[in-house]
Amino acid sequence: MDVTLHLAQDPEADALLGRSPLAALTGMLLDQQIPMEWAFKGPATIAQRMGADDLDARDIAARDPEAFAALLSEKPAVHRYPGSMAGRIQQLCQYLVEHYDGDAEAVWKGVDSGTELLKRLQDLPGFGKQKAQIFLALLGKQLGVQPKGWREAAGAYGEEKSFRSVADITGPESLAKVRAHKQEMKAAAKAAKTAGKSSGTAGKSSGN
C-alpha cells in the first residue's frame, strides 16, 4: 500500500495514511465529532509522539492506557475527546493483534467479496455500518482494494463521483464538494426534525 491521499491536507500526515494501513484505519476511527483533517492528521501526530515513523498495533495494544491517553491529550490534542479515543484506538489494535497478528492490511488483503470485507470492517471495534462502508469505499476508490461487489457493499458511498465522504476526497475541490454535501445532509436532518416536532404539536392541538 503506497498511494497519495489528501485527507489530512498535510503532506507528511497524508504520506503516512497512504503507506500505512493502520494509520488509515486509525484516521477513520478518529473521524467523528471533529473536522476531517484533524482526524486524519491524528495518526501522524500519535506516531511522532511515540517517537516512530509509523503506528505499530502491538506497541499500541501493550501500552499503559493512562499513559497512552496522556499522549493523545498533549496539546494540540489528537481529538476533542482524547481519553475515550485513546481507549478506542487501543481496543482496535488489541483486536488486530488477536485476529490478524497485528497486521491491519490483513483485514482486507485477499478478501473475495465486498460483503465479506464489509463484515470484517464492521467487526472492528469502533466501526459501525456507516463508518465501515465509508472505509470500504475509500479502499475501493483510492487504495485499489476492489473485491467483487465492493461498490454495492459500500452502499451510496461506493457510487462514482458521489462526493459523500472522505472516500471521494482527492484534493481541495473535492473536499469542498464533500463539505457542501455534509452541510446539506445536516440541514435536511434539522428540517426533518423541526417538521416532526411541528406535526407532533399539531396533532396534540387537534386532539384537544
Side-chain angles (χ1 to χ4, degrees), residues 70-168:
L71 185 140
L72 266 70
S73 301
E74 286 177 28
K75 292 185 178 180
V78 169
H79 194 275
R80 181 176 292 159
Y81 305 108
S84 62
M85 292 312 295
R88 290 189 181 192
I89 292 170
Q90 284 197 292
Q91 286 172 0
L92 172 64
C93 289
Q94 286 157 3
Y95 182 91
L96 291 173
V97 169
E98 185 179 341
H99 296 270
Y100 295 101
D101 199 29
D103 180 8
E105 192 174 15
V107 175
W108 54 84
K109 200 168 184 179
V111 176
D112 294 327
S113 72
T115 306
E116 173 62 21
L117 179 50
L118 180 62
K119 181 183 180 301
R120 286 190 179 198
L121 290 170
Q122 280 188 262
D123 285 342
L124 297 174
F127 278 68
K129 185 176 181 181
Q130 184 184 45
K131 193 178 284 288
Q133 284 186 315
I134 292 171
F135 193 77
L136 198 165
L138 177 65
L139 287 171
K141 290 180 176 183
Q142 298 200 49
L143 299 174
V145 180
Q146 300 178 336
K148 186 177 179 182
W150 71 271
R151 285 191 188 277
E152 291 79 4
Y157 301 108
E159 295 171 7
E160 283 191 70
K161 299 178 181 177
S162 56
F163 299 109
R164 293 174 183 271
S165 72
V166 299
D168 302 293

Side-chain angles (χ1 to χ4, degrees), residues 30-96:
L30 289 167
D31 187 23
Q32 56 190 60
Q33 298 178 296
I34 59 172
M36 181 203 73
E37 300 96 318
W38 184 5
F40 282 96
K41 194 174 179 180
T45 303
I46 294 169
Q48 185 181 27
R49 290 177 185 175
M50 289 171 65
D53 58 5
D54 195 358
L55 300 182
D56 182 285
R58 290 185 181 280
D59 183 358
I60 293 172
R63 291 201 170 221
D64 174 74
E66 286 188 15
F68 189 64
L71 185 140
L72 266 70
S73 301
E74 286 177 28
K75 292 185 178 180
V78 169
H79 194 275
R80 181 176 292 159
Y81 305 108
S84 62
M85 292 312 295
R88 290 189 181 192
I89 292 170
Q90 284 197 292
Q91 286 172 0
L92 172 64
C93 289
Q94 286 157 3
Y95 182 91
L96 291 173

